[in-house]
Amino acid sequence: MMKKFLTFIALTIIASAGLRAEVAFKVKAPERVMVGEQFYITYSVVDGNPSLRSLRVPEIPGCKLLYGPSESRSQSYEMINGRTRSNSRVDYTYVYRAEKEGAVTIGEASVEADGRQLSTSRRKLTIVANSQSSSSGQGNAGNGTPAVNIDDISTQSSDRTVQSDDVFVRIILNKSTAYEQEAIECTIKLYTKYSISSFMPTKQPSFDGFLIEEVPIQAQLNEVENYRGQNYMTALLKRCIIFPQKSGRLTINSGNYDISVVQYDNVNMGFFNVRTPQERDIKVSSNSASIEIKSLPSPQPEGFSGAVGTFTIDSRLVGNSFRTNDPATLIYTVTGTGNIKYVKEPEIDFPSEFELYNPHTDYDTRVNGSNVSGTMTVEYTFVPQATGQFKIGSDRFVYFNPSNGQYVTLSTPVYDIKVAQGTSAAASAEQKDIESKNTDILHIKTGNKHPAMHRNYVIGTWWYWALMVLMVAGVAGAALARGKRARMASDEKGTRLIKANKVARRRLKLAKHLSETGQDEKFHEEILKAIWGYLSDKLGIPASQLTRENIMTVLADAGAPEEVRSNLGEVLDDCEMARYSPADTRPSTSDIYRKASQAINSMENIKFRK
């Protein structure tokens, strides 16, 4: 019995030891303070019995020690799996005042606890300039009351009104003027002197006349910034790269926000006062930011499709041998910085003897500073249908460089390729007949050596004349077809009009695939590209002038019914709203796809006035 009792005692001691936490020595200090501000640094010994005499704390450059240490002790208990665990904590608090601006290091502190020597890690402290204030260190709100200072609860009492310069939201643009389609960095920041308990946007800023490339951010209220002589805590709410779509003075309209700030009530407890936090709900509107957008210089060179920035192009053929009925690939790449996500696919001049498949386009972009950089890759798959020597024509890529205000033209090389006879498909009957006609040596006929003198001339047969008629008709048809191709090649507008629906359908098909795979952001981008590209080709509006207002004006002048114009405007609005509104308020991708398809079908059924 005694043996079992001793075993139970031993197990209990081991279990209790396992539940006891290891002794730790920690420091708690602010990351930023202002010159003249008082702040606290607390050194804590957790689950240990420290010796105050052994406590050593470092001096802090640029700061003056006002008081300390102030000692406090606490004890807590908790039960884990039926076993009680205790935690103890001893805090030593020091009060300092920041006196000199700069970045300083809080050195290691040390203490002896339970026979062990413990030390803290080093910490960084930034001392920033104080707001404009009087010699006593307190500013003035203009009505005799002290100005609000960040992290200073003595100036943040609940009986004072939150002023417009205490909490506000700014829209900041990195440029005051820009060209159409030129990248502009836009940031939206919250400035506050109060702590924020809740923040809810009720209306997002409106970017009318811009295409937007949004940059993912993580909003945190952790930066101190001096603005107009006053210090604020700031948080980055939104950062995006915007591309203006028309000239003139464009304005980003303000947004609205519901914010809860923390103020303090002074409660008299008899021998001392206690400050208790109180929330106050306020409404804040951001400023409106305007920028002057310049038109792209005229005349615009042939081949310009709206690319603005700095770019390079390259093309290459995959492989060095080509055979009939074997697919081959031409890869075309555009690399650079600017509105690369909105660059149109080039139209390469392939020989008519080649069967051409729909090109596959891939964009690899990223935000680089205040602009967007990346690569557009287009893969053209073609299948030669005849042997011989062929040329794949060059392409001219024209872009506008906003840094020097000039257009730049780049060209890809012409490819001379030789196509040999392939083996992947058997020769047709016509091909075998042609090969037999090209045979130089024929068999010697044997038989009757005394031919009759009677001769039948081919010119007198009916099939000869029928063949002649067919040949003349074929030559005439070929001449007409060649003339039609020449007219279409010279009529760029007509060619784009014919291909408008085909290109739009291809983009809609890709958008549907993106929707089915859950890529909603890319779905909305592809739908907008399909609509904007279709309207540009169908209505003959250059990409640089493609705005909602211009589209509605051209449709009205061309005699489009009001219903068609209204539906088209609704599709554009839904797409824009879906890209920049919260996910739970967006129209469904299936509704957007259906409306976009119906809008294009309606446009195809309209006979426009000349």
Side-chain angles (χ1 to χ4, degrees), residues 24-43:
F25 188 33
K26 302 178 181 179
V27 59
K28 181 180 180 182
E31 294 182 354
R32 287 176 175 81
V33 296
M34 294 182 297
V35 173
E37 180 185 355
Q38 294 183 14
F39 63 96
Y40 302 87
I41 296 181
T42 301
Y43 298 93

Side-chain angles (χ1 to χ4, degrees), residues 483-608:
K484 183 177 180 180
R485 284 198 300 270
R487 288 193 299 272
M488 290 180 64
S490 62
D491 183 11
E492 182 180 353
K493 180 178 179 181
T495 303
R496 292 176 61 188
L497 189 64
I498 293 173
K499 294 183 178 180
N501 185 268
K502 181 180 179 181
V503 174
R505 294 298 174 189
R506 187 171 70 242
R507 289 196 179 277
L508 286 176
K509 183 178 180 181
L510 175 58
K512 186 175 183 181
H513 172 72
L514 294 172
S515 173
E516 293 172 348
T517 55
Q519 304 178 62
D520 289 355
E521 182 178 352
K522 291 185 178 181
F523 166 80
H524 296 131
E525 291 181 5
E526 201 63 34
I527 286 288
L528 280 176
K529 287 180 183 179
I531 296 293
W532 287 117
Y534 174 79
L535 293 173
S536 176
D537 293 339
K538 193 73 175 178
L539 303 179
I541 302 176
S544 59
Q545 302 175 14
L546 197 64
T547 64
R548 193 180 191 278
E549 293 79 5
N550 288 348
I551 290 170
M552 295 306 167
T553 301
V554 173
L555 285 175
D557 294 342
E562 173 64 27
E563 181 182 359
V564 173
R565 285 179 281 158
S566 176
N567 292 340
L568 189 59
E570 183 179 349
V571 173
L572 295 176
D573 293 340
D574 285 350
C575 289
E576 290 292 347
M577 183 178 70
R579 292 183 68 192
Y580 311 115
S581 60
D584 56 352
T585 61
R586 296 175 182 171
S588 66
T589 55
S590 59
D591 287 343
I592 293 177
Y593 177 81
R594 176 180 53 80
K595 291 179 180 179
S597 300
Q598 290 176 351
I600 292 176
N601 290 336
S602 300
M603 290 284 293
E604 286 295 308
N605 296 328
I606 296 174
K607 292 185 178 180
F608 294 104

Side-chain angles (χ1 to χ4, degrees), residues 242-540:
I242 56 178
F243 299 91
Q245 299 301 295
K246 59 182 179 180
S247 60
R249 191 158 194 84
L250 300 184
T251 300
I252 301 173
N253 296 321
S254 63
N256 297 330
Y257 309 89
D258 288 345
I259 302 176
S260 294
V261 300
V262 179
Q263 295 181 311
Y264 295 88
D265 281 337
N266 192 9
V267 180
N268 190 338
M269 303 296 290
F271 294 102
F272 56 92
N273 292 331
V274 175
R275 297 185 182 275
T276 60
Q278 300 290 333
E279 291 187 0
R280 170 174 286 186
D281 296 332
I282 62 173
K283 294 185 180 296
V284 174
S285 297
S286 65
N287 64 309
S288 296
S290 297
I291 183 170
E292 193 66 34
I293 304 301
K294 298 180 289 187
S295 300
L296 296 176
S298 295
Q300 296 178 357
E302 183 181 355
F304 177 69
S305 60
V308 175
T310 56
F311 303 96
T312 59
I313 63 171
D314 183 42
S315 64
R316 60 185 177 89
L317 282 171
V318 178
N320 51 17
S321 62
F322 305 91
R323 296 180 178 275
T324 57
N325 301 305
D326 288 344
T329 303
L330 172 68
I331 299 178
Y332 182 101
T333 58
V334 178
T335 304
T337 300
N339 61 340
I340 189 166
K341 291 187 71 173
Y342 309 103
V343 172
K344 287 190 173 182
E345 301 167 350
E347 296 185 3
I348 308 297
D349 183 19
F350 285 91
S352 59
E353 292 85 355
F354 289 6
E355 181 182 358
L356 186 63
Y357 293 87
N358 290 334
H360 173 72
T361 305
D362 182 53
Y363 294 90
D364 180 16
T365 62
R366 64 192 178 280
V367 174
N368 184 11
S370 60
N371 214 320
V372 177
S373 300
T375 301
M376 178 186 76
T377 304
V378 187
E379 294 187 6
Y380 298 88
T381 301
F382 60 93
V383 180
Q385 300 294 312
T387 61
Q389 200 79 23
F390 299 97
K391 291 181 181 290
I392 297 179
S394 65
D395 174 68
R396 290 197 309 169
F397 179 78
V398 182
Y399 69 90
F400 177 75
N401 188 342
S403 61
N404 57 20
Q406 295 181 354
Y407 291 97
V408 180
T409 301
L410 306 175
S411 298
T412 56
V414 176
Y415 292 97
D416 291 316
I417 65 173
K418 182 178 180 180
V419 178
Q421 181 63 48
T423 58
S424 58
S428 63
E430 289 81 4
Q431 290 173 327
K432 292 181 179 179
D433 185 53
I434 292 173
E435 291 175 358
S436 65
K437 291 180 180 178
N438 290 335
T439 302
D440 293 327
I441 301 175
L442 301 178
H443 292 286
I444 299 175
K445 293 183 179 181
T446 59
N448 187 4
K449 299 180 180 180
H450 302 283
M453 296 300 295
H454 179 72
R455 297 180 178 86
N456 292 323
Y457 295 98
V458 175
I459 195 172
T461 61
W462 66 269
W463 54 265
Y464 170 81
W465 291 105
L467 182 61
M468 291 297 294
V469 171
L470 290 176
M471 291 177 61
V472 171
V475 171
L480 291 173
R482 183 172 182 179
K484 183 177 180 180
R485 284 198 300 270
R487 288 193 299 272
M488 290 180 64
S490 62
D491 183 11
E492 182 180 353
K493 180 178 179 181
T495 303
R496 292 176 61 188
L497 189 64
I498 293 173
K499 294 183 178 180
N501 185 268
K502 181 180 179 181
V503 174
R505 294 298 174 189
R506 187 171 70 242
R507 289 196 179 277
L508 286 176
K509 183 178 180 181
L510 175 58
K512 186 175 183 181
H513 172 72
L514 294 172
S515 173
E516 293 172 348
T517 55
Q519 304 178 62
D520 289 355
E521 182 178 352
K522 291 185 178 181
F523 166 80
H524 296 131
E525 291 181 5
E526 201 63 34
I527 286 288
L528 280 176
K529 287 180 183 179
I531 296 293
W532 287 117
Y534 174 79
L535 293 173
S536 176
D537 293 339
K538 193 73 175 178
L539 303 179

